[in-house]
Amino acid sequence: MRVDITPRACRVGEVAAVAAAATAIFRAPPRSGDMAAEYPLLFDEEHADRLRVIERGGVILSHAGFWLGEAVLGPAGRARIACFGAVFTRPGQEGRGLGSAALADAVATARAMGAQVGLISGQRSLYERLGFSPMPPAIGYAPGPGPCLGTWSQADPGDVARLYDAEAVRFVRSPRDWHRLLAAGTVFYGPGTVRQLDRAAYVAVDAASRVLEFAGDREALAAALPGLGIVEVIAPAHDHALAAVARGWQRRAVPFPFGAARWDPSFFDAPLPFYGLNYM
């Protein structure tokens, strides 16, 4: 039977079904989890129209969604930014162009809503055809052994937001966004925790003991991280402040599979925020 490959907006009341279809694909055994709980900024009933679906008879065959907000891109200023994710086609429906159609529709919808920059995870020819180019490798820093010169504690939402908002390159997160991100317990691709260093800095640590988001005093972080059991700190290439204080730490290029589309020429050379808690 021919499948209509015309995407449409997810309707209010369908978000749970879309998230369940994504969970069945991305959290199939041996993995486990709930995509709706892990990525609340994406699977959001208030913005169901940002989830673009192809369905037949009430069955979700393909999907591509995006979170739309703002980011501060250093000296370049603020940009309207879209983070795309959970792009999938149901098993048995591949090869019909469904995923391509869904993502193309998501990109067109985001741009119509004013997105000037797009981010996506993964490296597929489909993404390149839609204007996404690979981002520069991140830098991995391996802290050497040493004492923990600081006090780590559970993150305070107000302190974490204050520290993050002082960063020159960042997503713009509302209090509601912060509440949902911290409650989700997701750091990039999977479970993680957020730890606060006094009131000077914080880190978001994944299950592999890697720091995938941080903000605050880099000197304080460099002094305290060796005693926290951190394997590696992943930092965007533009974070020269951490590079300056990570004395003696081993460094390596980390080719994280990110793609970026800069539809507004004003942001062609601007540094872009790292996914971290905001994965999508």
Side-chain angles (χ1 to χ4, degrees):
M1 176 181 285
R2 181 180 180 276
V3 176
D4 181 359
I5 64 170
T6 303
R8 64 167 174 81
C10 175
R11 304 183 183 109
V12 174
E14 290 182 321
V15 173
V18 176
T23 297
I25 291 173
F26 295 111
R27 297 296 180 263
R31 297 195 67 181
S32 62
D34 178 348
M35 293 286 284
E38 294 170 26
Y39 302 109
L41 301 193
L42 181 71
F43 296 107
D44 184 355
E45 286 281 358
E46 290 189 16
H47 300 292
D49 59 334
R50 299 176 186 173
L51 307 180
R52 315 303 293 184
V53 300
I54 297 172
E55 60 88 20
R56 182 180 64 193
V59 177
I60 304 298
L61 302 181
S62 191
H63 163 266
F66 62 93
W67 169 86
L68 181 66
E70 284 191 320
V72 178
L73 308 183
R78 289 194 176 208
R80 193 79 166 149
I81 193 165
C83 295
F84 298 86
V87 180
F88 70 81
T89 297
R90 184 179 290 273
Q93 301 295 329
E94 302 93 336
R96 303 185 183 188
L98 303 183
S100 297
L103 183 56
D105 184 67
V107 169
T109 301
R111 295 192 65 180
M113 291 181 175
Q116 298 160 290
V117 177
L119 293 178
I120 198 164
S121 68
Q123 293 176 339
R124 296 166 55 182
S125 59
L126 163 60
Y127 302 161
E128 294 182 7
R129 291 197 300 272
L130 290 173
F132 293 91
S133 300
M135 290 177 65
I139 307 299
Y141 299 88
C148 181
L149 302 179
T151 303
W152 292 97
S153 60
Q154 184 175 348
D156 175 87
D159 284 341
V160 168
R162 171 183 57 81
L163 292 164
Y164 187 77
D165 286 347
E167 295 292 312
V169 181
R170 65 188 187 278
F171 292 105
V172 176
R173 296 171 177 164
S174 68
R176 180 171 180 260
D177 288 344
W178 274 112
H179 173 77
R180 293 188 296 169
L181 289 169
L182 293 174
T186 302
V187 176
F188 193 57
Y189 277 142
T193 59
V194 178
R195 304 290 290 173
Q196 184 173 321
L197 174 62
D198 303 315
R199 300 190 72 224
Y202 78 85
V203 292
V205 185
D206 72 1
S209 296
R210 299 179 304 170
V211 172
L212 294 178
E213 179 177 303
F214 56 89
D217 187 325
R218 303 308 197 258
E219 286 276 6
L221 282 174
L225 280 173
L228 194 61
I230 296 300
V231 172
E232 193 169 35
V233 181
I234 308 296
H238 59 75
D239 196 318
H240 304 299
L242 181 64
V245 300
R247 304 179 187 93
W249 293 6
Q250 293 183 345
R251 307 183 186 194
R252 70 182 181 102
V254 181
F256 262 47
F258 294 144
R262 304 167 192 257
W263 300 303
D264 186 329
S266 301
F267 304 107
F268 278 174
D269 297 318
L272 299 178
F274 202 67
Y275 268 123
L277 298 177
N278 242 88
Y279 170 53
M280 55 185 174

